[in-house]
Amino acid sequence: MEILWVLMALAMFSLVLLPVLRRRSAGIQQVAPGDPDAADPADYGFLRQEELDIRMPGPDHDLLQVLDLVQRTQDYRAASQLLAGTESDGERRWQRVQAFAGAASLELQQRPGGVSETPGGQWLRVWRAEAPKDAGGAAVHAEFLVQQAWRTSTPGTDEFRIIMEEAKSACAEAALLAPGDPVPYIVELSVARGLSYPQPEFEQLWLKILDRAPSHMGAHLAALHYWCEKWHGSRNVAYSFAEAAAARAPQGSLLAAMPLFAVFEHLPEVNLVRSFYQSEVVTKAVHGALFAVHAARPDDPMLAHVRHLLIFFLVRSERWAEAMDQLVHVDGHVGALPWTLTADPASDYAIYRALAVAGYEANGGSPATLPH
């Protein structure tokens, strides 16, 4: 997958250098900076690249306010209160646990600490020390350990296994503190992938999640990684898992978009031609995701995740107007696949956005014709 992203980045930069895009009936071509024909995303009210928020896929104002408060004061109590008031079986709790854990992990990376410096993420350590029975803090700690393992060590090494084993114990502790909460078990899905759980053991873990939250999109995405070809399954197994989830998706569920995520996880590493993205398997998965987006609740926390992945596929298949429709709904937040797989998510997103704008205008579109 790393090779794929390098090749795709090179291909994208060969097509576009923001904002030197030109709209012409003959197609999209590079022009000199400042050229009056250059397509400008700002004309559509899109944010500048440096203003894009890479922390989350979409807005969660309560979470952002609490995150800012916690990081400014190093007091965990606002985070504890927010998680305590977040429904346990919904997508939002899982996203908030990830966000708090990610914030602590990044703080520690930026400030590892020393003789005269307090390490970053100290508020999470205090949280666990002062409130050891707090289910939210336990879940955040478990996810923090998982993120630390993937961020700081290499799978298969002793260091990685030690951290993951600690994360596994933390998941078990969090599950005991909140028996009906699926989040500790969703965190453990990443542990299962990293520690190579045998399939029967993984399936037992998955049944515990289905008992608590059978339509949890975040859980299905985490499980999909395990079944992928690059981990412990195969392309066919991953596709079957995704298609089965889509088939049993209740009305309004974004699980209908699961096949698109399975396709993304198995993109060919050297195929950058347009025809692949217009193939039957991709087109079918895109249509399923578009259907899911149109049927979903506007406030579904996973909606932005699906829209971001749709932007990637719609731009690659040159479906410019549909890509623009998704951009209108998510612009401003880019903390989602596929952008988070790159070193600079905002830059990668901005390139695709520029391509969408240029393609839209090359086919007669304008800010005036784009519905909002």
Side-chain angles (χ1 to χ4, degrees), residues 61-235:
H61 300 298
D62 290 340
L63 173 60
L64 285 178
Q65 290 178 354
V66 170
L67 262 178
D68 290 341
L69 178 62
V70 168
Q71 294 187 306
R72 185 174 67 254
T73 65
Q74 291 294 296
D75 187 336
Y76 69 86
R77 285 176 291 185
S80 176
Q81 292 171 3
L82 182 65
L83 286 180
T86 305
E87 59 179 348
S88 64
D89 60 346
E91 306 283 355
R92 198 171 299 280
R93 180 177 176 83
W94 167 231
Q95 291 189 4
R96 288 173 171 176
V97 165
Q98 287 183 297
F100 286 128
S105 181
L106 285 174
E107 280 186 36
L108 183 59
Q109 182 181 34
Q110 294 164 357
R111 300 194 314 276
V115 176
S116 59
E117 182 186 42
T118 301
Q122 182 66 19
W123 53 269
L124 178 55
R125 297 182 183 84
V126 175
W127 188 357
R128 295 298 296 130
E130 292 186 354
K133 300 301 182 182
D134 187 327
V140 172
H141 180 236
E143 174 64 16
F144 167 80
L145 291 170
V146 166
Q147 293 194 27
Q148 281 295 100
W150 292 108
R151 191 188 305 276
T152 65
S153 55
T154 303
T157 64
D158 289 341
E159 180 185 9
F160 180 85
R161 176 166 289 278
I162 288 171
I163 301 174
M164 277 297 190
E165 290 288 358
E166 185 179 357
K168 183 178 182 179
S169 298
C171 289
E173 181 179 355
L176 288 174
L177 292 172
D181 188 354
V183 169
Y185 299 104
I186 299 174
V187 176
E188 193 179 350
L189 290 174
S190 187
V191 176
R193 177 163 55 98
L195 292 181
S196 303
Y197 280 21
Q199 288 189 9
E201 185 177 356
F202 182 87
E203 289 169 352
Q204 289 178 2
L205 172 62
W206 182 238
L207 287 175
K208 293 177 182 178
I209 295 171
L210 292 181
D211 286 342
R212 292 161 176 81
S215 299
H216 199 289
M217 178 75 171
H220 280 79
L221 291 177
L224 177 64
H225 290 304
Y226 178 92
W227 295 117
C228 284
E229 189 174 62
K230 60 188 174 184
W231 287 105
H232 308 298
S234 67
R235 180 190 302 266

Side-chain angles (χ1 to χ4, degrees), residues 167-372:
K168 183 178 182 179
S169 298
C171 289
E173 181 179 355
L176 288 174
L177 292 172
D181 188 354
V183 169
Y185 299 104
I186 299 174
V187 176
E188 193 179 350
L189 290 174
S190 187
V191 176
R193 177 163 55 98
L195 292 181
S196 303
Y197 280 21
Q199 288 189 9
E201 185 177 356
F202 182 87
E203 289 169 352
Q204 289 178 2
L205 172 62
W206 182 238
L207 287 175
K208 293 177 182 178
I209 295 171
L210 292 181
D211 286 342
R212 292 161 176 81
S215 299
H216 199 289
M217 178 75 171
H220 280 79
L221 291 177
L224 177 64
H225 290 304
Y226 178 92
W227 295 117
C228 284
E229 189 174 62
K230 60 188 174 184
W231 287 105
H232 308 298
S234 67
R235 180 190 302 266
N236 288 338
V237 170
Y239 279 20
S240 295
F241 174 80
E243 289 165 0
R248 66 171 181 270
Q251 179 66 31
S253 170
L254 287 165
L255 287 177
M258 282 297 297
L260 188 64
F261 286 87
V263 170
F264 177 75
E265 290 295 337
H266 295 87
L267 287 176
E269 293 196 354
V270 295
N271 189 345
L272 298 175
V273 297
R274 182 182 65 179
S275 59
F276 170 77
Y277 291 92
Q278 296 177 339
S279 64
E280 181 179 357
V281 64
V282 172
T283 299
K284 182 179 178 181
V286 167
H287 286 168
L290 286 170
F291 170 81
V293 164
H294 293 151
R297 301 188 329 268
D299 62 345
D300 191 313
M302 294 302 294
L303 185 54
H305 285 274
V306 181
R307 290 191 188 277
H308 278 288
L309 196 62
L310 272 170
I311 291 167
F312 171 86
F313 279 99
L314 291 170
V315 168
R316 293 302 299 171
S317 56
E318 299 185 8
R319 295 167 64 167
W320 311 117
E322 291 169 292
M324 291 293 289
D325 181 55
Q326 302 306 318
L327 283 164
V328 166
H329 288 89
V330 300
D331 192 73
H333 297 83
V334 296
L337 290 175
W339 328 121
T340 51
L341 294 180
T342 67
D344 189 347
S347 175
D348 202 54
Y349 167 84
I351 289 172
Y352 274 80
R353 184 179 64 184
L355 282 168
V357 170
Y360 183 63
E361 295 187 355
N363 287 274
S366 71
T369 62
L370 182 65
H372 284 76

